[in-house]
Amino acid sequence: MQTKVAWLQLKHRPVRLIVALCGIGFAVLLILMQLGFRSALFESAVRFHEKLNYDIALFSPDSVFIVRPQAFSQRRLYQAKALPEVEQVMPVNIFPGVWKNPWNNGRRSINTLGFDPGDAIFDNPEFDKLRPMLKARDAMVFDSASRPEFGPVSESVTRDKVLVTEINNREISVVGLYKMGTSFGLDGSVFMSSDNWLRLFPDRSREDIQLGLITLKAGANANEVRDKLKAYLPGDVLVLTKRDFVERETAYWNSATPIGYIFTFGAIMGFVVGAIIVYQILFAGVSEHLSEYATLRAMGYSSTFVSGIVVQQAVLLGALGYIPGVAVVMWLYSLAAGATNLPLYLTQDRAVTVFILTMIMCAISALLSVRKVARLDPAEVF
């Protein structure tokens, strides 16, 4: 009976009901968009950490995040090879270069990565087919999921097989395409041999690298080998398992930069805005129907029963407002993902989490609204 009465009261004012559903839908949209961008931030920031082929990584403790790493001696990587559990070591050079858009001569920062083409740094058969091509002088492969500001590179390479342009004012040839994706700190990237990378950065020492990748023999425990390397190597390098490396990068974006805080704060504000909207709608309904509630009390119904009607209204508003909010968010996710190449999509966990938050938001508003009903005295109303 409570649910029926609650629904009849809600639909009695259709305009107010539509306004309430729009308000809740907007709150759901705001929360999901903020959580979506926050998730995209973390997921995109660790693309290389997760997709590179390694069990343990060596990284400079002075490096803030992977796009602008500091150098350390390559000797540390080959010292690590002394451990019997180590299968292979792979040095990697990383640093942003200046890409010249050959169509408009515009300049834009691009992430450049150098490695030995003989090393399978990606567990990806398609990328492995491109590695022999990187042995040629000034040859490199381009991330087809890079930002469009670099120009129609993918279309040109697909059509002509080779695109000639410049990085750091040096003529280079794009001879192939791979797919990685962008992040909040990375608009695009290219892979090349270490020799070609050093030609782009002639002031860099061949003895220094920015990332060392270590693969272990079958059966070796990565955590145990990490601890051995920490005790064995000097303190001028970080020794990280893949999980450690991902968590370090995520922690940087979450706590050391304001971006993670901003998205979290935006989600909280969406929750607060939704709670205020639901409270105002419910409180207006309670005030309007106070005499009906008093009649129910006079008929012998308890204050808990009457308060339950308001709570049921909140539940109905939350469930009905959630649906259009999710529908709009899925559309906005697809638009934003297409425009930014960021991994924006609605996960089941996020959808369930926001639905629960919506119910909590409406429940809090209902509890604040029913205080007047709980103190209701029929004698005072009549």
Side-chain angles (χ1 to χ4, degrees), residues 95-216:
F95 207 74
V98 180
W99 167 276
K100 177 184 176 181
N101 185 327
W103 288 272
N104 60 17
N105 293 325
R107 307 281 174 166
R108 192 173 187 89
S109 177
I110 190 169
N111 199 35
T112 66
L113 297 97
F115 72 107
D116 183 345
D119 293 338
I121 63 169
F122 279 117
D123 188 13
N124 186 324
E126 292 184 3
F127 187 84
D128 287 342
K129 293 178 182 178
L130 299 173
R131 288 193 286 127
M133 304 169 65
L134 299 180
K135 296 178 181 179
R137 187 181 181 90
D138 295 321
M140 56 197 65
V141 291
F142 181 84
D143 180 7
S144 60
S146 298
R147 294 280 300 162
E149 287 80 2
F150 293 104
V153 179
S154 298
E155 295 84 345
S156 179
V157 174
T158 301
R159 182 183 64 249
D160 303 326
K161 305 303 180 185
V162 176
L163 170 67
V164 177
T165 184
E166 294 179 4
I167 295 181
N168 291 356
N169 296 317
R170 181 181 179 88
E171 187 174 282
I172 57 96
S173 299
V174 177
V175 297
L177 302 169
Y178 72 99
K179 189 171 184 179
M180 178 65 70
T182 62
S183 71
F184 281 80
L186 177 65
D187 290 336
S189 58
V190 288
F191 274 84
M192 65 201 75
S193 69
S194 296
D195 289 338
N196 286 330
W197 190 91
L198 289 167
R199 291 187 181 103
L200 295 181
F201 300 93
D203 57 328
R204 299 294 180 119
S205 170
R206 184 174 288 273
E207 301 301 318
D208 292 335
I209 57 174
Q210 288 72 39
L211 176 64
L213 304 180
I214 301 172
T215 59
L216 303 179

Side-chain angles (χ1 to χ4, degrees), residues 162-378:
V162 176
L163 170 67
V164 177
T165 184
E166 294 179 4
I167 295 181
N168 291 356
N169 296 317
R170 181 181 179 88
E171 187 174 282
I172 57 96
S173 299
V174 177
V175 297
L177 302 169
Y178 72 99
K179 189 171 184 179
M180 178 65 70
T182 62
S183 71
F184 281 80
L186 177 65
D187 290 336
S189 58
V190 288
F191 274 84
M192 65 201 75
S193 69
S194 296
D195 289 338
N196 286 330
W197 190 91
L198 289 167
R199 291 187 181 103
L200 295 181
F201 300 93
D203 57 328
R204 299 294 180 119
S205 170
R206 184 174 288 273
E207 301 301 318
D208 292 335
I209 57 174
Q210 288 72 39
L211 176 64
L213 304 180
I214 301 172
T215 59
L216 303 179
K217 294 178 180 178
N221 184 288
N223 290 329
E224 292 178 0
V225 177
R226 173 200 61 192
D227 294 339
K228 286 184 180 180
L229 286 172
K230 282 183 177 180
Y232 174 63
L233 296 176
D236 56 357
V237 289
L238 295 173
V239 183
L240 307 164
T241 63
K242 181 171 286 192
R243 181 176 179 179
D244 296 336
F245 204 14
V246 169
E247 289 178 350
R248 185 181 189 272
E249 190 82 6
T250 302
Y252 165 75
W253 287 102
N254 188 40
S255 58
T257 71
I259 300 178
Y261 170 79
I262 289 171
F263 289 139
T264 302
F265 182 75
I268 294 172
M269 289 306 300
F271 182 90
V272 173
V273 167
I276 293 173
I277 292 172
V278 176
Y279 171 75
Q280 290 177 331
I281 296 296
L282 292 178
F283 186 80
V286 168
S287 300
E288 181 179 345
H289 299 290
L290 202 59
S291 59
E292 288 92 330
Y293 293 146
T295 301
L296 290 172
R297 289 294 309 280
M299 291 171 62
Y301 288 98
S302 65
S303 61
T304 302
F305 178 86
V306 178
S307 299
I309 295 175
V310 181
V311 174
Q312 290 283 357
Q313 289 180 352
V315 172
L316 288 170
L317 287 173
L320 294 174
Y322 175 81
I323 296 171
V326 169
V328 175
V329 162
M330 292 178 68
W331 175 65
L332 291 176
Y333 274 179
S334 64
L335 287 181
T340 63
N341 286 330
L342 290 172
L344 273 168
Y345 51 89
L346 183 63
T347 64
Q348 182 178 350
D349 289 344
R350 192 184 310 145
V352 171
T353 299
V354 174
F355 180 77
I356 293 172
L357 286 175
T358 305
M359 292 297 103
I360 294 173
M361 173 183 74
C362 293
I364 292 173
S365 301
L367 293 175
L368 293 174
S369 302
V370 299
R371 291 179 300 172
K372 195 171 185 178
V373 176
R375 297 193 301 265
L376 182 62
D377 185 349

Side-chain angles (χ1 to χ4, degrees), residues 46-61:
V46 297
R47 291 184 194 270
F48 288 102
H49 306 67
E50 292 182 335
K51 293 184 179 181
L52 288 172
N53 181 28
Y54 68 100
D55 297 299
I56 293 177
L58 299 187
F59 204 53
S60 170

Side-chain angles (χ1 to χ4, degrees), residues 10-88:
L10 286 175
K11 75 172 187 175
H12 178 67
R13 297 282 189 180
V15 175
R16 180 185 294 170
L17 174 60
I18 293 173
V19 171
L21 296 182
C22 289
I24 295 171
F26 175 75
V28 170
L29 183 150
L30 185 58
I31 294 171
L32 279 173
M33 289 303 296
Q34 298 298 316
L35 293 180
F37 278 118
R38 184 176 182 272
S39 176
L41 163 66
F42 296 150
E43 187 174 338
S44 62
V46 297
R47 291 184 194 270
F48 288 102
H49 306 67
E50 292 182 335
K51 293 184 179 181
L52 288 172
N53 181 28
Y54 68 100
D55 297 299
I56 293 177
L58 299 187
F59 204 53
S60 170
D62 298 325
S63 297
V64 179
F65 64 119
I66 197 170
V67 176
R68 288 189 175 273
Q70 298 299 311
F72 61 92
S73 175
Q74 191 171 177
R75 285 177 293 178
R76 301 290 175 256
L77 188 61
Y78 292 102
Q79 285 175 320
K81 198 174 182 180
L83 267 65
E85 297 92 341
V86 173
E87 176 72 24
Q88 184 184 13

